[in-house]
Amino acid sequence: MSADPANTYFSDGLSEQIILALSRIDELRVAARTSSFALRDGDLSARAIGDALDVQAVLEGSVLVNG
């Protein structure tokens, strides 16, 4: 949501860590980072992204950095 490259770098790293942690759960099928990041900056809805990735759920959120 921020134009600051430092915030983008931070949120990308956080997203990668969440993807990695979720992918370690055997019962979950997690879309790859490259696939999910390719769709993040478009005008697609969460439902359309889920359909494109062929997943049942999409985790969506934002990061607030103080300071």
Side-chain angles (χ1 to χ4, degrees):
M1 298 180 100
S2 171
D4 184 346
N7 290 338
T8 301
Y9 181 78
F10 174 75
S11 65
D12 283 356
L14 183 60
S15 297
E16 288 181 29
Q17 291 302 309
I18 291 169
I19 290 169
L20 179 63
L22 291 174
S23 69
R24 291 183 175 146
I25 301 171
D26 289 335
E27 294 80 15
L28 294 179
R29 188 180 73 78
V30 179
R33 174 201 167 280
T34 52
S35 300
S36 57
F37 277 33
L39 299 171
R40 71 177 173 180
D41 294 326
D43 291 331
L44 297 174
S45 68
R47 182 177 302 275
I49 291 171
D51 290 344
L53 294 173
D54 192 27
V55 295
Q56 292 180 344
V58 174
L59 179 61
E60 184 178 26
S62 61
V63 176
L64 176 64
V65 179
N66 291 324

